[in-house]
């Protein structure tokens, strides 16, 4: 499950954001001012931060600047009613990764969050070996072992499984899988993800009774490590 921190002092707006994000499968924490948001982002790990600008105690841009000075690299989506170009530039120069003007369509908010999360995940150097229980994926040898036995995977299947394993326990959406495994050139309505997941499950089921890849209806897929 992806984790989001909402830093917003307006109660109505924060309730709208939290409800919508939870419906999309996010775990959400709320901070009601910039200082509280700074402490939360510094002390906990999040996949994305939604940062309002106009807040008491510490405004959003100051909070983002402080976070970057502390070495916190969590993607930040700045939310503001200010639509002028200079305001957007200030938001990005302060350390924000994207800037969205209020009011906004929730679908656009989710699309921007997904883009930030994908960008962040691509920037992370993948571990050479991923191991969960009796399942080991070795990128250097391009080898999958289950109970010490090798499972033959096609390159796309290997990349797909690696992406799921790196996000073990989290739900990754079809859009995120399409972008990481195949790039942007596919129609989001294509069933290529479902087809590859099905084929990968068949190969894994021949070597283990544990269901490694779970479907989370309406949200995506999750790798569940064997106990």
């Amino acid at each position: 499950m992806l984790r989001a921190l909402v830093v917003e002092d307006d109660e109505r707006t924060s309730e709208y954001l939290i409800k919508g994000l939870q419906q999309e499968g996010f775990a959400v924490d709320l901070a009601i001012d910039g200082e509280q948001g700074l402490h939360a982002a510094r002390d906990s790990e999040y996949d994305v931060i939604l940062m309002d600008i106009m807040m008491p105690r510490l405004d959003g841009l100051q909070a983002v600047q402080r976070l970057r000075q502390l070495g916190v690299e969590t993607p930040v989506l700045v939310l503001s009613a200010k639509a002028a170009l200079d305001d957007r530039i200030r938001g990005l120069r302060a350390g924000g990764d994207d800037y969205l003007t209020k009011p906004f369509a929730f679908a656009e908010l989710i699309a921007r969050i997904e883009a930030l999360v994908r960008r962040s995940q691509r920037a992370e150097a993948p571990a050479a070996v991923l191991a969960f229980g009796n399942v080991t994926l070795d990128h250097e040898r391009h080898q999958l072992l289950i109970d010490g036995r090798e499972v033959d995977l096609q390159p796309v299947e290997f990349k797909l499984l690696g992406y799921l394993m790196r996000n073990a326990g989290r739900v990754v959406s079809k859009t995120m899988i399409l972008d990481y495994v195949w790039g942007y050139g596919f129609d989001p309505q294509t069933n290529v993800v479902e087809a590859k997941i099905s084929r990968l499950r068949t190969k894994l089921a021949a070597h283990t009774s544990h269901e490694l890849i779970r479907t989370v209806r309406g949200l995506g897929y999750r790798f569940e490590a064997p106990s």
Side-chain angles (χ1 to χ4, degrees):
M1 182 178 291
L2 297 177
R3 296 191 67 203
L5 173 64
V6 173
V7 188
E8 171 63 68
D9 66 319
D10 182 77
E11 184 175 355
R12 187 173 180 178
T13 302
S14 63
E15 288 179 354
Y16 167 74
L17 291 171
I18 291 170
K19 182 178 180 180
L21 288 168
Q22 289 176 338
Q23 288 176 345
E24 292 291 329
F26 283 80
V28 188
D29 290 337
L30 172 66
I32 59 173
D33 60 57
E35 188 171 309
Q36 192 179 106
L38 174 64
H39 292 160
R42 180 195 63 191
D43 298 337
S44 301
E45 291 189 6
Y46 295 96
D47 297 284
V48 67
I49 299 170
L50 278 60
M51 181 76 71
D52 184 37
I53 290 183
M54 302 299 293
M55 288 185 297
R57 301 183 71 181
L58 190 69
D59 72 42
L61 296 189
Q62 291 173 324
V64 174
Q65 287 175 327
R66 293 274 296 277
L67 282 175
R68 298 313 186 214
Q69 290 168 359
L70 292 169
V72 177
E73 297 298 330
T74 306
V76 175
L77 175 56
V78 177
L79 305 177
S80 175
K82 297 181 177 181
L85 176 60
D86 287 346
D87 293 311
R88 297 200 301 271
I89 290 173
R90 278 194 290 271
L92 297 173
R93 284 181 172 170
D97 297 276
D98 198 358
Y99 189 104
L100 186 59
T101 304
K102 301 177 182 178
F104 48 79
F106 199 81
E108 181 180 5
L109 175 74
I110 293 300
R112 288 182 183 239
I113 289 174
E114 288 184 341
L116 289 177
V117 172
R118 290 196 302 265
R119 192 187 311 163
S120 175
Q121 290 173 341
R122 284 201 299 266
E124 297 175 0
V129 177
L130 297 169
F132 295 93
N134 62 341
V135 180
T136 301
L137 195 73
D138 189 327
H139 284 84
E140 292 184 353
R141 292 185 172 88
H142 200 80
Q143 184 181 59
L144 170 66
L145 298 176
I146 299 180
D147 283 331
R149 294 173 295 173
E150 185 169 0
V151 181
D152 183 41
L153 296 181
Q154 295 177 353
V156 170
E157 294 167 345
F158 190 91
K159 188 174 183 179
L160 172 57
L161 181 60
Y163 182 61
L164 292 170
M165 290 179 68
R166 279 199 302 278
N167 291 281
R170 295 177 172 179
V171 177
V172 290
S173 69
K174 177 180 173 180
T175 301
M176 294 168 71
I177 293 172
L178 277 169
D179 179 45
Y180 184 85
V181 179
W182 287 276
Y184 290 97
F186 280 82
D187 180 349
Q189 301 304 316
T190 181
N191 67 348
V192 66
V193 173
E194 291 86 345
K196 285 297 181 182
I197 289 284
S198 176
R199 182 172 175 80
L200 184 56
R201 279 174 167 156
T202 298
K203 290 187 175 184
L204 297 175
H207 296 269
T208 178
S209 59
H210 180 80
E211 187 178 358
L212 296 172
I213 302 173
R214 295 286 180 93
T215 298
V216 182
R217 189 174 300 276
L219 297 177
Y221 301 93
R222 180 177 64 232
F223 180 87
E224 293 198 353
S227 57

